[in-house]
Amino acid sequence: MRKPVVLISGAAGEIGHALIDHLVEAGGRSIVTLDLRPLEPALTTKVSRAFTGSILDQALLESIEAEFAIDRIFHLAALLSTRSEFTPVAAHEVNVRGTLNLLELAASQARSRNQNVVFFYPSSIAAYGVSSDAVMPETGWDECSHNQPITMYGCNKLYCEHLGRYYAGHYRQLDAEPVGGKVDFRSIRFPGLISAHTVPSGGTSDYAPEMIHAAAQGEPYECFVRPDTRIPFMAMPDAVGAILGLMEAPRDSLTRSVYNVGAFAPSAGDFRSLVEDAFPSAAIGEAIDTKRQRIVDSWPDDVDCSAARRDWGLAPEYDLVRAFDEYLVPTIAALYQS
Ligand code: AKB
């Protein structure tokens, strides 16, 4: 019998980079990765197989399915919000058709081995479309509020949340013997994520990580959103912790398939002040991109994470100050000194 493995798509990206390290540290299943870009050598040695290819390549997915017994999928591959606006059809192909391909792979694996496949899907605050006159509850918006995204990426993410629910509970429901219920779809709507080790590309929340990484390198940075712009963020270690917390939770403790998470929601001006305190020579200016500003303005100022706390114990380690003092500043400074 083939040993069950974990499949990570988009493994060479920001979340994948951090997730692989945590999964290896935790031990357990072998890891198979798939990304358009080759996995960096330091990670390749930690995984069983590193495929370089596309989630749109059906022949590649079929060969991976034939070779491995996959019982966990972390589907991280995606085009982010800003990049998707320049190539909306390509974004739909990657973000929707690619997700459909991975869900089909999960359903096929579950059917052939008559065992559940747990499927992690990273959704986003981009699934929201909050109108400017909406008055946010003190606890932030819950998962069911203002789900009217204004970006292709946000539309993709919201639709794939529904695709996941379909595969989990209604897949081929008219078949003589439906296999619905064997894809255990679990999703997190990530806020902006800030990694000390990598800089994102193609996102609209990128102003925060771009700002601190530029300051640490002594490079000038022009912030593309207003100082009063406010959205939720999370340090990357807490994002990975949230993924593992959700994936380890007993199925019957989960009251929903899509959860908000967040750790702090500073304004861009607050974030800039902390960067300037940490890097006094930082040269941070302002060059507001009104079109990207419109996208960020449609996202929630903050989100209600009570369902995640209640169902699977979401508990970020890093608030804003601790993220700077104990994770971002020391790690990023060391990154660029070496
Ligand atoms: C983006 O900016 O597109 C992403 C996101 C918030 O999902 N970082």
Side-chain angles (χ1 to χ4, degrees):
M1 289 291 282
R2 299 174 299 174
K3 283 194 311 179
V5 302
V6 166
L7 174 63
I8 305 176
S9 76
E14 280 212 288
I15 300 176
H17 187 285
L19 178 63
I20 289 170
D21 284 333
H22 276 73
L23 288 176
V24 169
E25 279 169 30
R29 292 169 179 79
S30 299
I31 301 170
V32 174
T33 65
L34 171 59
D35 198 301
L36 269 181
R37 296 169 295 163
L39 205 59
E40 64 180 71
L43 292 178
T44 307
T45 57
K46 298 180 179 179
V47 303
S48 297
R49 284 287 291 285
F51 290 91
T52 301
S54 169
I55 55 175
L56 300 177
D57 181 341
Q58 288 286 13
L60 175 57
L61 293 177
E62 285 165 14
S63 69
I64 290 172
E65 180 172 6
E67 186 173 350
F68 299 97
I70 300 164
D71 73 347
R72 286 197 178 192
I73 295 175
F74 296 87
H75 172 41
L76 308 178
L79 297 185
L80 298 184
S81 56
T82 290
R83 186 172 168 199
S84 294
E85 283 310 299
F86 291 112
T87 56
V89 175
H92 175 89
E93 282 305 302
V94 171
N95 295 341
V96 177
R97 163 60 64 184
T99 301
L100 186 65
N101 288 349
L102 270 290
L103 284 167
E104 274 295 311
L105 188 155
S108 172
Q109 285 276 312
R111 188 169 48 242
S112 65
R113 296 188 296 110
N114 194 29
Q115 288 181 1
N116 278 16
V117 173
V118 190
F119 191 106
F120 175 75
Y121 179 71
S123 186
S124 162
I125 54 172
Y128 289 96
V130 183
S131 51
S132 55
D133 58 355
V135 179
M136 185 181 76
E138 201 172 303
T139 53
W141 295 114
D142 69 20
E143 289 86 351
C144 302
S145 304
H146 296 282
N147 293 170
Q148 296 180 330
I150 67 165
T151 60
M152 173 57 94
Y153 171 76
C155 293
N156 299 159
K157 288 298 183 182
L158 189 59
Y159 174 60
C160 287
E161 290 178 9
H162 292 299
L163 266 187
R165 277 192 206 87
Y166 167 74
Y167 271 79
H170 313 292
Y171 182 65
R172 297 180 64 99
Q173 56 200 284
L174 299 184
D175 281 3
E177 294 292 330
V179 291
K182 292 200 176 305
V183 175
D184 181 350
F185 178 84
R186 305 183 185 197
S187 179
I188 286 175
R189 276 191 191 157
F190 280 120
L193 299 181
I194 310 175
S195 169
H197 300 279
T198 54
V199 185
S201 64
T204 321
S205 66
D206 293 357
Y207 60 88
E210 287 174 348
M211 190 189 296
I212 190 169
H213 278 268
Q217 298 175 82
E219 291 174 2
Y221 183 72
E222 298 288 295
C223 185
F224 58 80
V225 295
R226 295 187 314 266
D228 67 323
T229 302
R230 183 173 171 234
I231 57 172
F233 282 94
M234 178 175 257
M236 187 60 78
D238 282 334
V240 173
I243 293 171
L244 299 178
L246 175 58
M247 293 292 273
E248 297 306 326
R251 178 70 248 179
D252 58 9
S253 69
L254 304 181
T255 59
R256 52 186 309 108
S257 53
V258 180
Y259 289 90
N260 284 336
V261 300
F264 43 85
S267 70
D270 292 341
F271 196 86
R272 172 177 174 170
S273 300
L274 286 165
V275 173
E276 289 169 334
D277 289 347
F279 300 98
S281 60
I284 303 173
E286 201 175 281
I288 295 170
D289 179 331
T290 54
K291 293 176 180 175
R292 295 177 85 183
Q293 182 73 58
R294 179 173 178 270
I295 291 175
V296 178
D297 286 345
S298 74
W299 293 353
D301 287 6
D302 208 350
V303 287
D304 177 350
C305 306
S306 56
R309 286 194 295 270
R310 178 195 63 229
D311 288 2
W312 46 273
L314 171 70
E317 286 185 38
Y318 294 102
D319 60 18
L320 180 60
V321 173
R322 189 173 180 202
F324 264 82
D325 293 348
E326 298 183 25
Y327 170 59
L328 293 170
V329 174
T331 312
I332 291 175
L335 181 69
Y336 297 116
Q337 276 162 5
S338 55

